[in-house]
Amino acid sequence: MGKVITIGREFGSNGRAIARELSEALGIQFYDKELIEMAAKKSKLSDEDLAEIDETRANPWIYSSVGYQVGSGYTTVEPINDLLYQAEASVIRDVAESENCIIVGRCSDYVLKDKIDSRHVFVYAPLNYRLSVVMNRDNLDEKKARSVIKKVDKRRRLYYNFYTDRNWNDLRNYDLSLDSSIFSMQDIIGILTEVYETM
């Protein structure tokens, strides 16, 4: 059974960069967008279709769906979003059992909530800090950066809340929450390395 750190993150808080740096410091794999390809193989849906709806809940009014036979000529229809969530959850459980790793987003804290040797982290930061990160990282002006942050955070929140019946940014759902505007990258990696080593 692997030791796992899951990292939820606000957009622009550098959560993915923290996961990548931590994986290098610990010498273990981190999973983010790689989960889409792994889920595609498990669900037999295309990478492109799944990438478009990653971390997005199904729109109850307009959504892509998949029909498949359930026996005796009956066909059922299921939103692709639901199929992706189920496939990603299965992949998350598989990798968590087989190796030490870091998993970014995709309700991984909820999927692994009963796994004893896992710790769940949420990375957040004030809006002004995240604006600065996104503007510099993605070469956007302030108006566009603000719009992207709002859109991505909303999408992640709706996805998480829908599939977990929890509140995405309720810090009580996590074992540790870090404001990335206060701590340096080096400090955060040090904290999370200690968390990992004490599991």
Side-chain angles (χ1 to χ4, degrees), residues 91-133:
V91 167
I92 287 167
R93 285 189 286 267
D94 288 347
V95 298
E97 286 303 311
S98 63
E99 63 180 291
N100 300 329
C101 61
I102 299 155
I103 302 174
V104 178
R106 293 162 186 84
C107 304
S108 53
D109 63 290
Y110 179 78
V111 172
L112 300 177
K113 65 183 185 301
D114 297 323
K115 182 174 171 56
I116 295 171
D117 48 352
S118 66
R119 297 294 179 268
H120 310 296
V121 179
F122 191 78
V123 181
Y124 65 100
L127 179 58
N128 285 343
Y129 175 84
R130 294 190 289 138
L131 280 170
S132 176
V133 167

Side-chain angles (χ1 to χ4, degrees), residues 30 43 49 85-86 105 122 142 147 160 186 190 194:
F30 91 97
S43 66
D49 287 343
Y85 171 77
Q86 293 161 15
F122 191 78
E142 182 176 340
S147 174
Y160 184 92
Q186 183 178 0
E194 189 168 343

Side-chain angles (χ1 to χ4, degrees), residues 47-67:
D47 295 13
E48 293 80 12
D49 287 343
L50 297 185
E52 284 186 22
I53 50 122
D54 185 40
E55 288 194 289
T56 306
R57 69 168 184 144
N59 183 324
W61 307 110
I62 304 171
Y63 58 73
S64 299
S65 60
V66 175

Side-chain angles (χ1 to χ4, degrees), residues 7-22 104 123-125 129-130 132-134 137-138 156 178-181 183-185 188-189 192:
I7 298 182
R9 72 283 185 227
E10 290 184 328
F11 190 72
S13 66
N14 279 326
R16 187 177 192 279
I18 288 166
R20 185 176 58 246
E21 292 284 333
L22 182 62
V104 178
V123 181
Y124 65 100
Y129 175 84
R130 294 190 289 138
S132 176
V133 167
V134 173
R137 183 188 67 196
D138 302 333
R156 288 176 179 170
L178 293 166
D179 181 341
S180 59
S181 72
F183 299 100
S184 70
M185 178 70 77
I188 292 173
I189 299 308
L192 296 182

